[in-house]
Amino acid sequence: MVHRRLSIIDLSPAGRQPMRSASGRHVIVYNGEVYNHRNIRRALDEEGSAPFGGWRGHSDTETLLQALEVWGPERALRAAVGMFALALWDVASSTLVLARDRLGEKPLYYGNPARVLLFGSELKALRAHPTFVGRVDRGVLGLFMRHSCVPAPHSIYEGVRQLPPGTWLRVHAGQLREGVLPTPEAYWSLGSVAIAGNAAPFAGSDTEAIDLLHAQLREAVALQMVADVPLGAFLSGGVDSSTVVALMQSQSMRPVKTFTIGFREPDFDEAQHARAVAAHLGTEHTELYVTAEDARAIVHQLPQIYDEPFADISQIPTYAVAALARRHVTVSLSGDAGDELFGGYNRYLAARSAWRRLAPLPLPLRAFFARLLDRVPPHAWNAVYAGLKPLLPTRFRVQHPAEMIRKLIAVFTTTGPEDLYRRLVSQWKQPEEIVIGGRAPPTLLDDPARWPAVRDFEHWMMAMDTRTYLPDDILTKVDRAAMAVSLETRVPMLDHRVVELAWHMPLALKIRHRQGKWLLRQVLYRYVPAGLIERPKMGFAMPVDSWLRGPLREWADSLLDPARLAREGMLQPEPISRMWKQHLAGERNMERPLWNVLMFQAWLEQQNGAS
């Protein structure tokens, strides 16, 4: 068992890992933070379960280790409020326990090649072992092409899995000799939380709901501000990050350090909004503008940073803001998860009404209209929209009209609301068309028996996103980028008590007047004027569309070379080359599916070089 430590709590040698329990029976390696470890330690003291000889230090690792030994995994994991991936070795019984936090903030991979159990928070650790084979799982590659990330419990390698969020696994040495691994057990389930919340919705007034969420978020932020090292926050100027920063500043005696990334391209730049929020709250604000040259330098590092194919189009600015923050702090709080918990994504606002309008129309007619729309190049849509934008109501003003048209085309040929959602979260709709031998395995999206049993379709989408898109994409993007520069990120909205409270809130408190995150906005408006926040949702992306035609073209040309694709034998050259030519000609904006291919190709190149 090996551990490389980013010291956050108890910087002394008493916090080092691997850590052996006072009894000598258990050894732990652990990545993350247990924010309520002081309360757990107090509970152990009160019941007479402190370590023999007393506590050696004040680290959360020592507290967690003692709780696991005394209470057992199930009770200890349920008591912990935090983000973590851990491995606990029982010397007496030759048993290993692996566990991951409830929402999947921290990664944990494991596999059983040659009847040797390998595990780690990075695939690099598994690749270092002599028994590791590292064959690409072509079915999983198909899933990656569809979703821009590798969904748990899969990994890009055959025989290696991700431990799902909210689960733990106990492995006996004898099971390894038999070559069989047990099934992970859940100690917390978002599906159960969603069902319980829908069954007992909050019935108080709007003001009572705002007060309740305000108090719970304030407590979560305060808990996550505890650190023995400098601490700050990411600030985009949007609802989620502004709420977290406002709650931080209200509980801090000095200006909170905040960080944001900007772009010279106006359609992608939120720095001015973040600057205005920072000035209002009185934070110590730092911003950095990312250029195409910066992107060109970062893009070559991405395969090493993300360790397996990963293609969220905002991964470059995410790495840039993490690197910026690390120059000043060691811990940074983020506003992630506000969209999934409080109804922030555009699809929550539009999907139901879109399906109601489309359902009465025959599918052949809808397909005909989709083909007509698809023939209009993106620049034409953008030009038309630019002329109409001043005449449109605010709710119809979007930053990327051509991208919205692309989504509309997918909507036209859908067969039902769940199919509509699946199309909206897919880049390559039929990945087997480009992945050679890549028949994608079924996922949660394909298994109605595992779908959350909630009443509203909007809540159904929010639950699906929280179980898939949030841990597999958003949290992966931030954690890997931050860990690459030795920065710890914390997500107060993923305190599981905030999550459970959010699921007790009825949909009308989340989406109101065709606007998402109503309840969260009311908390924020106690600190920041609405005028600083209210604007069309931008997301956190970069101008990949134009950069692929310009400063990133040489890099992309090399990776997408048809002869190279044919030689590697993973991807079909013809459809990719056709798409690349259309993109270069400006006929279509295919940045997202092309970015998936480019990120796999860059990762494969790094793998071949490493081998």
Side-chain angles (χ1 to χ4, degrees):
M1 299 174 76
V2 181
H3 184 269
R4 184 173 183 181
R5 188 183 185 206
L6 176 60
S7 303
I8 304 295
I9 301 292
D10 192 348
L11 311 186
S12 75
R16 289 178 182 168
Q17 301 180 45
M19 182 181 290
R20 185 179 290 269
S21 64
S23 71
R25 175 168 178 169
H26 291 95
V27 182
I28 192 173
V29 283
Y30 149 62
N31 173 30
E33 298 288 341
V34 172
Y35 305 121
N36 67 331
H37 73 99
R38 292 175 178 172
N39 294 337
I40 293 175
R41 182 171 292 205
R42 191 178 303 116
L44 289 166
D45 285 337
E46 290 174 354
E47 67 180 42
S49 298
F52 179 78
W55 299 99
R56 292 167 285 185
H58 66 274
S59 73
D60 57 330
T61 308
E62 185 180 9
T63 306
L64 180 60
L65 175 58
Q66 185 67 12
L68 287 163
E69 178 164 287
V70 173
W71 293 344
E74 192 97 23
R75 180 183 171 190
L77 293 170
R78 287 178 175 169
V81 178
M83 55 169 186
F84 49 82
L86 66 86
L88 180 76
W89 176 247
D90 186 329
V91 177
S93 65
S94 295
T95 301
L96 182 75
V97 166
L98 301 176
R100 191 177 178 199
D101 64 69
R102 292 172 177 84
L103 279 304
E105 290 186 63
K106 285 296 179 183
L108 182 50
Y109 295 94
Y110 67 100
N112 186 210
R115 299 185 182 180
V116 174
L117 181 66
L118 307 179
F119 61 90
S121 57
E122 293 184 320
L123 286 169
K124 299 180 187 71
L126 280 67
R127 287 199 300 264
H129 196 275
T131 64
F132 190 80
V133 177
R135 280 190 296 269
V136 171
D137 188 319
R138 294 185 184 232
V140 174
L141 176 56
L143 290 178
F144 164 74
M145 288 297 172
R146 178 182 293 155
H147 298 298
S148 307
C149 57
V150 175
H154 304 287
S155 88
I156 193 62
Y157 294 121
E158 293 180 4
V160 177
R161 299 175 70 79
Q162 297 182 63
L163 192 67
T167 67
W168 66 289
L169 179 72
R170 191 196 304 270
V171 185
H172 299 280
Q175 292 172 304
L176 292 184
R177 287 191 291 271
E178 296 168 3
V180 177
L181 290 179
T183 302
E185 299 179 39
Y187 66 90
W188 189 90
S189 163
L190 179 78
S192 299
V193 167
I195 292 170
N198 264 230
F202 177 78
S205 68
D206 287 356
T207 300
E208 290 170 331
I210 298 166
D211 289 342
L212 198 58
L213 179 60
H214 186 193
Q216 191 67 73
L217 276 175
R218 185 177 173 86
E219 179 184 341
V221 167
L223 204 59
Q224 296 194 22
M225 289 176 68
V226 176
D228 295 337
V229 293
L231 176 142
F234 300 137
L235 178 62
S236 70
V239 173
D240 307 337
S241 64
S242 297
T243 302
V244 169
V245 170
L247 293 170
M248 291 176 71
Q249 191 59 70
S250 70
Q251 300 178 84
S252 175
M253 300 296 291
R254 61 187 66 154
V256 172
K257 296 178 186 292
T258 54
F259 309 93
T260 193
I261 290 296
F263 295 95
R264 299 300 177 193
E265 294 82 356
D267 286 350
F268 295 86
D269 185 39
E270 287 192 290
Q272 58 181 319
H273 306 301
R275 192 182 312 126
V277 172
H280 180 82
L281 293 174
T283 71
E284 183 182 327
H285 191 59
T286 304
E287 61 185 34
L288 173 70
Y289 276 77
V290 175
T291 66
E293 289 70 30
D294 297 323
R296 194 161 47 199
I298 293 172
V299 76
H300 295 287
Q301 303 176 50
L302 295 177
Q304 179 72 12
I305 292 169
Y306 286 95
D307 222 17
E308 69 179 335
F310 183 78
D312 186 306
I313 216 153
S314 63
Q315 62 197 116
I316 288 179
T318 299
Y319 175 78
V321 76
L324 172 65
R326 186 60 181 92
R327 298 173 200 163
H328 306 270
V329 300
T330 310
V331 174
S332 185
L333 273 63
S334 98
D336 289 324
D339 288 308
E340 290 84 357
L341 294 179
F342 298 101
Y345 290 132
N346 289 331
R347 56 179 168 264
Y348 304 153
L349 308 179
R352 181 198 291 267
S353 60
W355 174 246
R356 284 177 175 171
R357 289 181 174 89
L358 287 171
L361 298 176
L363 182 58
L365 181 61
R366 288 189 269 127
F368 172 73
F369 281 122
R371 288 194 296 271
L372 290 180
L373 291 173
D374 199 31
R375 290 176 182 174
V376 181
H379 60 80
W381 287 119
N382 290 335
V384 171
Y385 180 81
L388 294 176
K389 186 174 181 179
L391 307 176
L392 296 174
T394 302
R395 69 176 183 271
F396 292 123
R397 296 180 185 179
V398 296
Q399 292 294 328
H400 309 292
E403 181 66 15
M404 293 301 294
I405 294 297
R406 186 183 71 84
K407 292 181 179 179
L408 183 61
I409 292 170
V411 166
F412 265 51
T413 55
T414 193
T415 58
E418 293 83 9
D419 181 48
L420 169 58
Y421 171 83
R422 179 191 175 108
R423 289 169 182 254
L424 291 175
V425 298
S426 300
Q427 301 307 326
W428 288 88
K429 306 300 186 289
Q430 303 294 333
E432 60 272 12
E433 293 178 358
I434 64 160
V435 179
I436 299 172
R439 191 172 187 82
T443 67
L444 177 65
L445 293 175
D446 307 307
D447 188 357
R450 296 167 55 204
W451 288 352
V454 293
R455 286 189 297 272
D456 305 302
F457 180 53
E458 292 85 351
H459 265 149
W460 182 88
M461 289 188 286
M462 292 162 64
M464 295 293 276
D465 279 339
T466 307
R467 292 173 65 177
T468 57
Y469 178 64
L470 180 66
D472 297 333
D473 187 308
I474 301 297
L475 299 179
T476 296
K477 174 182 63 179
V478 176
D479 180 75
R480 306 298 200 280
M483 288 287 96
V485 296
S486 298
L487 177 77
E488 178 171 286
T489 52
R490 299 176 176 179
V491 188
M493 291 191 201
L494 289 184
D495 182 311
H496 70 277
R497 298 165 301 180
V498 174
V499 175
E500 291 167 0
L501 175 63
W503 275 100
H504 279 287
M505 295 296 170
L507 192 63
L509 287 174
K510 298 171 185 175
I511 300 175
R512 186 174 293 190
H513 307 307
R514 291 193 57 80
Q515 185 181 56
K517 295 190 281 197
W518 182 87
L519 185 59
L520 193 61
R521 290 173 192 270
Q522 308 318 303
V523 173
L524 174 60
Y525 296 157
R526 293 181 173 183
Y527 299 92
V528 177
L532 289 182
I533 300 297
E534 294 298 344
R535 59 184 182 276
K537 185 176 178 62
M538 290 182 70
F540 187 44
M542 64 179 190
V544 171
D545 176 20
S546 59
W547 286 1
L548 285 177
R549 297 188 185 98
L552 295 180
R553 178 169 177 174
E554 183 179 352
W555 166 78
D557 268 333
S558 172
L559 294 173
L560 300 178
D561 176 60
R564 175 178 183 162
L565 293 171
R567 183 172 62 253
E568 291 166 343
M570 291 282 184
L571 303 177
Q572 297 282 6
E574 293 80 9
I576 295 170
S577 296
R578 184 168 56 250
M579 183 177 286
W580 180 225
K581 289 175 182 176
Q582 291 174 331
H583 185 87
L584 290 177
E587 297 173 6
R588 303 176 70 188
N589 177 8
M590 305 307 297
E591 59 180 5
R592 292 180 183 272
L594 284 171
W595 194 251
N596 288 9
V597 175
L598 287 165
M599 286 295 96
F600 173 71
Q601 286 295 101
W603 175 83
L604 187 63
E605 180 179 67
Q606 192 261 349
Q607 293 294 294
N608 292 337
S611 62

